[in-house]
Amino acid sequence: MTSFDTLMQQARACVDDRRLERVRAWKQENPGALAIGHMPIYTPRPLLEALGCLPVAVFGGGDQVDVIRGDAYFQSYICHIPRSTIELALGGELEPLDGMVFPAICDVIRNLGGMWKLLFPEKWSAYLDLPQNFDRRLGGAFYAGELRRFARELEARGARPLDEVRLRAAIADENARRATIDELDVLRRDEPHRLRASEAYLAVRAGSAMTAAEHTAFLREVLVAARERQTRKLDNVRVVVVGSFCEQPPLDLIITLERAGCDIVADDMQLGMRMIEGAIDAPSAGRDSVDALADAYLDRGAATASRYIGELVKGRALIDRVRAVRAEGVVFAAASFCDPALLDQPMLEAALQREGIAFTTLKYAENTGQFQTIREQAGAFSDSVKLWGGAA
Amino acid sequence: MSQERDNSQKRQKTMIADHFAKLSRAKEEGKKVVYTFVPGNLTELLSAFDVLPVLPEINALQSGMRGRSGRYIAEAEKAGHSEDVCTYVKCDLGMLKGGNVGPTGETLPPPDLLLLSYTGCFTFMKWFELLREEYNCPVVMLQVPYQAEGEITPEMRGYVVDQLRNEVIPALERLTGTTYDEDKLREKMKLSSRAEDDLVAVWESARHRPSPVDGYFGGVYYTGPMFSSFRGSQDAVDYYRELREEVEARISRGEGPTTPDGPMTQEKFRLVVEGPPNWTNFFDFWRMFSREGAVVVASTYTRVGGLYDRGFRHTPENPLESLADYCLGCYTNLNLPRRLDLLEHYVKTYSADGFLINSVKSCNSFSVGQLLLLRELEKRTGVPGGFIESDLVDPRYFGKANIENRVQSYLQMLDARMQRRAS
């Protein structure tokens, strides 16, 4: 059995693989196959896998990149992820990617897709217009059509033709990965000392440039090793972190929250891997697996700021999550200038206040390097919850 | 504006006052009120159901022009809204908390329906989620696909039409208790088309030297009826006919545009502007240009409510398809390459000496990518660009001295360049 520490080192190496060496290696092993990057939050990776492509989650440069050229493309009031992504692209670090997907999350990512078309016209790029209408005949039909268009365009670029059998297999792989991530989350929830949030984060993010099957195998190793490891239970406060679905907090920020006395028992970081809540069902009669992907997004898409809530009650999903993981409080951690998270936050805060659930708020950038203030704030929060409650 | 008003301006003022008076009486007269947004607005459909629209962006910009927005924004921030997000939203929420007194001093009625026309701006969705928390009324969402590949596909059009048929129209039928009458809608569309013809003639008049209109500062007045509550009405037809006649008269007299200080006497610079204006210091901003003899011959902000000068018209033949094309074709629903093409077209068609980007902090839909647009447009046209930053309605982000300094430096550079070319 590989030790837990070794697995974490492997995961860290994957996360730090800025030059996409893994992707380069995969392309060497799969000559002619395409590697397709996708920005947060969500892109249906099984579709890409069924087309013979390697999906690669791109989260910008994090705290590992000095942004020089990227800053020249964005005003000071724009969030950080587009600037570091442009920096990586202009520096050639995203060169192994044959295309990029820009999902509908906010106007920044949307316009970044347009910039891509101007800056890299030779590369395939596409905007994924995720549905905000959740009726299968309306938003579902439109979205399924979008996915088929993607498939046609990628096929024209050398991907394998879309095939029902392969798509079913890719969905099965994705479901297995999703179930394994669920197991990881259950371990975090029930025994957070065995698998810290920062460790689970690394393990999940390690799969950014892996196939679902490869990632599942890795996660299973992590699970086994985490269950076996000898750790000490801590007297921490159980919190849910909300607002970090797109631009990612630096790993050190997550560790800072933990050191400040918080067990992060659920979060929305790198939400794409958990976007579909549960398995993607097999298609019903008369429908195919593209429809099944669309239905999964409509029916089981996680409640997040970039998704219209329709007839649902704002904040209900967060409260349900807090209860389900037996959290004692919520930490709103949003990237600076993140419109979806910051516009959402007052509504979520109001919902928590109505339920008497304690919360605190902080902002970060992916390259934030100073954590003392955050540690003090999170420490004060965890102390206050311990002392005075605010329990769910 | 200090000078004598044109008849069209007086007419517009009366139209707007009448509309707000109707709104103030709406509840007692049993009229239904629908809040919706400017880009992709469905004014003809709403008026076919005889409901009254309220446009929160217009209220916010009016609050900005009347010096109230700073207070409203502060109220919203005190209530927990981030300093990082759109100030239109915060201004609107602050106004609501302060009693929802509209621009004419009359209290605005609460909405009976929130029609979320989700066109070209992510923030719209959050804005109406926030309003939904404040009002106990239904919301109907119209998702308008983004023109990411620079074209309207049959699938996109079909999706919008399907939502209109299956969700928006049934919601309006439930609200009003009346049945959708397509013939009534067709009549509105015919009137829209006539007004749109005249608006395009006004825009295109800027090809003359001197330009008889300012297509940005003056342009926001010209778009008033078209973008707000009057498209599809005889009032709008009359307004645009009168405006066009006034503009044609100015051409025949060789006159320049109206400015805050009276008619512009000498046109020195012809500019294209990208981005919304600042509203808190609108006339100061305008004077920075008009006093230097700079006229804006075309702007993109005045196309957020429709690209009529590129051929679009509301047509009665297939009214829902036409409404769909309208929503899909608004400026902020175009991808960056299409926006660049349009700017290039304006610079060349209107013989601009330069172009200027006013980048507003509040609006990522406009602002993200503008620095790339600046470079690419310079490359394509050989015309120099300028770049300034401000905000829509947050007075804290209008640094008058700094902006004036930048504008003057830019115009001096243009002047030197034009003199070199002339010699």
Side-chain angles (χ1 to χ4, degrees):
Chain A
M1 186 181 80
T2 313
S3 75
F4 187 81
D5 287 348
T6 304
L7 290 166
M8 285 299 108
Q9 283 166 11
Q10 290 171 3
R12 183 75 205 219
C14 292
V15 173
D16 290 344
D17 179 19
R18 237 180 32 237
R19 288 189 46 76
L20 301 181
E21 299 298 349
R22 284 187 69 87
V23 179
R24 291 172 203 268
W26 181 88
K27 289 180 78 168
Q28 278 196 334
E29 290 163 17
N30 298 273
L34 306 176
I36 303 297
H38 60 87
M39 297 296 293
I41 302 177
Y42 171 72
T43 293
R45 292 170 65 108
L47 179 75
L48 296 174
E49 287 201 32
L51 297 166
C53 304
L54 178 67
V56 181
V58 176
F59 290 104
D63 56 0
Q64 302 292 310
V65 175
D66 282 335
V67 177
I68 299 163
R69 281 177 287 189
D71 273 343
Y73 287 87
F74 297 96
Q75 299 90 321
S76 55
Y77 50 79
I78 310 290
C79 57
H80 208 269
I81 187 171
R83 44 189 98 228
S84 65
T85 305
I86 287 281
E87 184 77 26
L88 291 173
L90 292 174
E93 287 167 292
L94 302 184
E95 191 278 331
L97 301 180
D98 301 289
M100 277 288 278
V101 178
F102 298 87
I105 158 171
C106 68
D107 296 329
V108 175
I109 299 296
R110 185 196 72 181
N111 284 14
L112 181 63
M115 293 174 69
W116 218 262
K117 286 190 184 299
L118 290 168
L119 287 167
F120 312 106
E122 72 288 354
K123 296 269 188 177
W124 179 80
S125 65
Y127 178 69
L128 178 59
D129 218 344
L130 293 162
Q132 300 291 1
N133 176 300
F134 305 109
D135 184 323
R136 287 186 181 186
R137 296 160 303 167
L138 301 173
F142 174 74
Y143 179 45
E146 282 286 282
L147 298 181
R148 292 191 175 92
R149 175 176 68 83
F150 270 37
R152 286 194 301 274
E153 288 184 8
L154 285 169
E155 191 184 333
R157 294 258 176 171
R160 288 194 307 218
L162 185 58
D163 169 85
E164 177 66 17
V165 175
R166 278 199 291 264
L167 184 52
R168 282 184 188 234
I171 288 174
D173 285 349
E174 185 63 34
N175 284 344
R177 184 218 314 253
R178 188 68 188 85
T180 314
I181 291 176
D182 272 348
E183 281 188 58
L184 217 62
D185 289 344
V186 167
L187 182 60
R188 258 172 86 190
R189 183 193 68 197
D190 294 344
E191 297 179 273
H193 56 287
R194 291 206 186 281
L195 186 66
R196 316 280 299 149
S198 52
E199 295 157 348
Y201 178 86
L202 280 177
V204 173
R205 186 149 166 200
S208 296
M210 291 181 190
T211 62
E214 196 183 356
H215 192 203
T216 304
F218 178 76
L219 292 173
R220 295 226 71 83
E221 284 194 82
V222 172
L223 268 171
V224 170
R227 284 174 179 141
E228 294 292 321
R229 74 197 283 222
Q230 296 301 310
T231 53
R232 192 163 52 90
K233 202 170 174 181
L234 300 171
D235 183 27
N236 281 349
V237 167
R238 297 167 65 86
V239 301
V240 175
V241 170
V242 181
S244 310
F245 42 78
C246 179
E247 181 175 322
Q248 294 299 286
L251 187 67
D252 286 340
L253 190 150
I254 306 171
I255 294 169
T256 297
L257 293 177
E258 291 168 347
R259 286 180 179 160
C262 297
D263 279 336
I264 304 169
V265 289
D267 62 70
D268 62 0
M269 295 177 235
Q270 47 182 340
L271 182 62
M273 291 284 193
R274 297 180 175 87
M275 189 71 184
I276 306 300
E277 294 183 329
I280 299 163
D281 292 332
S284 50
R287 294 165 70 78
D288 65 15
S289 291
V290 174
D291 297 321
L293 280 178
D295 292 348
Y297 183 81
L298 298 182
D299 302 339
R300 295 188 183 172
T304 188
S306 64
R307 181 181 165 105
Y308 180 54
I309 58 163
E311 297 304 313
L312 304 174
V313 176
K314 194 76 198 174
R316 188 71 252 166
L318 175 59
I319 290 162
D320 289 346
R321 168 63 60 90
V322 168
R323 306 261 192 244
V325 298
R326 305 186 301 279
E328 297 158 284
V330 170
V331 176
F332 288 102
S336 293
F337 303 108
C338 174
D339 275 346
L342 294 171
L343 284 161
D344 222 35
Q345 199 168 297
M347 293 181 275
L348 299 182
E349 287 176 359
L352 294 180
Q353 274 169 337
R354 285 193 293 269
E355 297 287 324
I357 297 170
F359 63 86
T360 189
T361 68
L362 59 91
K363 283 197 293 186
Y364 63 84
E366 60 180 355
N367 64 344
T368 296
Q370 296 289 332
F371 302 107
Q372 187 55 33
T373 312
I374 290 172
R375 185 167 182 169
E376 285 167 10
Q377 184 187 341
F381 177 69
S382 63
D383 287 349
S384 72
V385 171
K386 277 277 172 216
L387 288 169
W388 295 294
Chain B
M1 301 206 324
S2 57
Q3 89 289 359
E4 184 75 16
R5 289 177 190 275
D6 289 332
N7 285 335
S8 63
Q9 282 180 288
K10 290 177 197 161
R11 183 189 289 274
Q12 182 177 159
K13 197 166 184 238
T14 305
M15 287 160 65
I16 290 170
D18 286 349
H19 180 68
F20 280 98
K22 275 187 210 166
L23 283 171
S24 69
R25 299 193 304 269
K27 295 298 165 191
E28 62 193 74
E29 292 179 359
K31 285 263 190 187
K32 299 296 183 187
V33 175
V34 175
Y35 285 21
T36 191
F37 293 110
V38 170
N41 69 69
L42 302 170
T43 301
E44 294 85 354
L45 186 63
L46 295 181
S47 60
F49 276 98
D50 203 23
V51 299
L52 292 170
V54 170
L55 300 149
E57 311 109 294
I58 304 284
N59 296 337
L61 76 86
Q62 293 274 5
S63 298
M65 292 182 92
R66 286 168 167 75
R68 296 176 190 154
S69 56
R71 186 160 42 90
Y72 292 152
I73 291 165
E75 281 299 314
E77 290 181 358
K78 260 193 272 177
H81 294 271
S82 170
E83 67 271 25
D84 290 357
V85 302
C86 174
T87 52
Y88 268 179
V89 178
K90 288 184 286 188
C91 182
D92 187 42
L93 292 169
M95 186 175 111
L96 168 61
K97 295 291 181 195
N100 221 19
V101 177
T104 55
E106 290 149 304
T107 301
L108 291 173
D112 298 295
L113 175 74
L114 294 167
L115 170 53
L116 173 45
S117 51
Y118 185 51
T119 301
C121 169
F122 168 80
T123 297
F124 284 164
M125 188 171 83
K126 306 316 293 179
W127 193 339
F128 270 18
E129 283 183 0
L130 285 158
L131 286 192
R132 196 181 84 154
E133 299 286 297
E134 303 290 337
Y135 296 112
N136 183 24
C137 76
V139 188
V140 61
M141 148 73 98
L142 174 67
Q143 183 185 7
V144 177
Y146 183 59
Q147 277 199 51
E149 299 300 322
E151 61 175 2
I152 297 172
T153 64
E155 291 78 15
M156 293 159 82
R157 183 180 298 114
Y159 180 35
V160 177
V161 170
D162 286 347
Q163 291 175 85
L164 290 173
R165 279 193 205 288
N166 294 292
E167 305 223 322
V168 176
I169 288 173
L172 288 166
E173 287 180 331
R174 283 193 298 276
L175 178 71
T176 59
T178 56
T179 306
Y180 169 57
D181 180 347
E182 193 150 287
D183 288 335
K184 200 170 172 185
L185 178 61
R186 287 184 211 279
E187 289 306 311
K188 307 278 179 196
M189 303 287 268
K190 276 186 209 163
L191 292 174
S192 291
S193 181
R194 284 167 57 191
E196 287 156 4
D197 284 344
D198 286 332
L199 175 61
V200 170
V202 171
W203 291 147
E204 293 186 342
S205 72
R207 294 182 193 214
H208 287 267
R209 282 180 189 268
S211 169
V213 294
D214 184 288
Y216 184 55
F217 298 105
V220 299
Y221 288 96
Y222 306 150
T223 57
M226 188 64 77
F227 284 9
S228 58
S229 317
F230 302 100
R231 224 178 44 230
S233 71
Q234 187 60 44
D235 277 347
V237 171
D238 295 342
Y239 167 79
Y240 283 103
R241 175 46 48 95
E242 190 164 38
L243 174 66
R244 180 177 180 170
E245 286 168 0
E246 287 168 357
V247 169
E248 286 169 350
R250 285 212 287 276
I251 293 171
S252 65
R253 294 193 299 267
E255 285 179 4
T258 306
T259 78
D261 302 316
M264 182 183 281
T265 51
Q266 191 194 2
E267 176 184 292
K268 280 185 72 180
F269 307 103
R270 296 169 65 82
L271 303 178
V272 167
V273 174
E274 146 77 12
N278 162 270
W279 300 108
T280 57
N281 297 66
F282 183 77
F283 294 107
D284 287 338
F285 195 28
W286 189 349
R287 285 190 177 96
M288 289 178 198
F289 295 84
S290 62
R291 287 181 176 171
E292 300 294 331
V295 61
V296 181
V297 288
S299 65
T300 52
Y301 176 69
T302 53
R303 273 60 168 181
V304 292
L307 277 165
Y308 304 110
D309 58 334
R310 304 303 290 144
F312 174 79
R313 292 291 182 280
H314 285 85
T315 55
E317 289 76 25
N318 296 297
L320 296 185
E321 284 75 5
S322 181
L323 283 175
D325 283 354
Y326 167 71
C327 296
L328 288 157
C330 291
Y331 179 71
T332 45
N333 206 48
L334 307 183
N335 70 358
L336 279 192
R338 280 284 309 280
R339 284 171 60 183
L340 180 62
D341 292 343
L342 187 68
L343 282 161
E344 181 186 4
H345 167 78
Y346 286 153
V347 167
K348 289 178 175 171
T349 306
Y350 290 90
S351 308
D353 304 307
F355 67 90
L356 191 103
I357 294 176
N358 181 39
S359 180
V360 297
K361 173 184 171 285
S362 275
C363 187
N364 285 340
S365 178
F366 257 105
S367 300
V368 174
Q370 282 179 326
L371 286 159
L372 180 58
L373 288 180
L374 177 79
R375 295 173 198 197
E376 294 295 316
L377 195 53
E378 282 187 338
K379 262 196 273 181
R380 284 193 188 185
T381 63
V383 164
F387 198 89
I388 52 177
E389 291 184 66
S390 65
D391 188 50
L392 295 168
V393 290
D394 192 336
R396 295 171 297 188
Y397 290 96
F398 190 85
K400 186 180 173 190
N402 184 33
I403 291 173
E404 190 155 30
N405 194 16
R406 279 199 184 201
V407 171
Q408 284 182 352
S409 299
Y410 175 66
L411 294 177
Q412 283 165 9
M413 180 274 292
L414 273 191
D415 193 30
R417 186 174 186 270
M418 288 160 71
Q419 285 185 27
R420 273 201 310 276
R421 289 164 77 101
S423 64

